[in-house]
Amino acid sequence: QVQLVESGGGLVQAGGSLRLSCAASGRAFSSYSMGWFRQAPGKDREFVGQINWSGSSTYYADSVKGRFTISRDNAKNTVYLQMNSLKPEDTAVYYCAADSRGWSTNARTYDYWGQGTQVTVSS
């Protein structure tokens, strides 16, 4: 069992930056791939990016590539999402999730989810 808690969301102007954190408790955090997803009002949950168990590999959605960076610190049981050059279309609730089975952009394969943190980007 893994519990995930996101933090770091807020209101930022377009072009600004935010760093989200996802703190995990429970067993074997370092064995999970971690993903970030987001959901805007009236839209489906959208894959943002993921990082493998060691932090050696990352993958991003085209919409955020070059602007967002995912990292993790297994000693602190924490994964991060650094968001730069934010745009109004990045406004959403951001979720972190843990995947015990491997490497996927599909939300259905993730085992555990945080409660989400709101990110609002004003124009």
Side-chain angles (χ1 to χ4, degrees), residues 25-98:
S25 59
R27 294 188 141 188
F29 168 75
S30 61
S31 66
Y32 290 86
S33 294
M34 298 297 295
W36 285 95
F37 293 78
R38 65 187 182 185
Q39 189 165 18
K43 294 188 176 181
D44 291 336
R45 193 164 295 190
E46 174 190 21
F47 171 78
V48 173
Q50 61 187 342
I51 188 166
N52 73 336
W53 68 273
S54 67
S56 61
S57 294
T58 54
Y59 179 75
Y60 301 94
D62 287 344
S63 58
V64 306
K65 199 173 297 181
R67 300 188 298 121
F68 290 12
T69 302
I70 299 174
S71 60
R72 68 190 295 164
D73 185 338
N74 286 340
K76 295 182 178 180
N77 280 9
T78 303
V79 63
Y80 305 97
L81 177 64
Q82 177 67 45
M83 305 185 294
N84 299 328
S85 302
L86 282 160
K87 305 174 181 180
E89 52 263 43
D90 295 318
T91 295
V93 177
Y94 282 71
Y95 300 89
C96 67

